[in-house]
Amino acid sequence: MNALSCSPIDECAIKPARLGYLASKNAAANGGGIAWIDIAQNEKVTYADLFRRMQIAVKCLRSKNLKPGQVVCVVLTRSGYFLPLLIGCIELGLILAPIEEDKNEVKTAI
């Protein structure tokens, strides 16, 4: 049965590619290419680095037995680890709530 003749309609819906899948395809095609430059860490982050970090984030998040829809609150600096963590959260259906490390009022509340 092809996409034009399937039924019901929701079986025909085209689902967007997952971010993790797209990251893996991009890493395979452009692995050594620079995804961004992390000025704070003086580091050039490649697409392969991004994908590897995303896999580490997903593995870590899964180990915490979090369920889709739960909020993940993290205190972090602006670094090359934010985007992989964000992609990992999206992949697992989690909501990322980042808090800047240098916010004194947040530090006091925590």
Side-chain angles (χ1 to χ4, degrees):
M1 183 176 285
N2 66 37
L4 296 177
S5 63
C6 67
S7 183
I9 292 174
D10 58 341
E11 290 179 6
C12 297
I14 298 172
K15 295 181 180 176
R18 303 282 303 203
L19 284 175
Y21 171 76
L22 294 174
S24 71
K25 295 279 287 179
N26 204 1
N30 307 303
I34 304 300
W36 77 83
I37 297 174
D38 185 344
I39 296 170
Q41 299 295 321
N42 194 27
E43 175 185 24
K44 293 179 181 177
V45 180
T46 67
Y47 290 102
D49 294 333
L50 172 62
F51 181 63
R52 180 181 50 78
R53 291 176 184 184
M54 184 216 55
Q55 289 178 309
I56 292 168
V58 167
K59 183 178 179 180
C60 179
L61 291 165
R62 278 194 178 128
S63 76
K64 304 300 179 195
N65 296 317
L66 299 166
K67 306 292 183 226
Q70 284 187 293
V71 176
V72 176
C73 184
V74 293
V75 178
L76 58 111
T77 60
R78 294 180 188 188
S79 73
Y81 291 96
F82 175 75
L83 185 58
L85 180 59
L86 175 62
I87 294 171
C89 284
I90 292 170
E91 279 295 297
L92 298 175
L94 303 169
I95 301 162
L96 180 60
I99 300 171
E100 265 187 86
E101 184 181 52
D102 58 355
K103 297 293 183 190
N104 286 330
E105 57 274 6
V106 173
K107 286 182 188 178
T108 303
I110 293 174

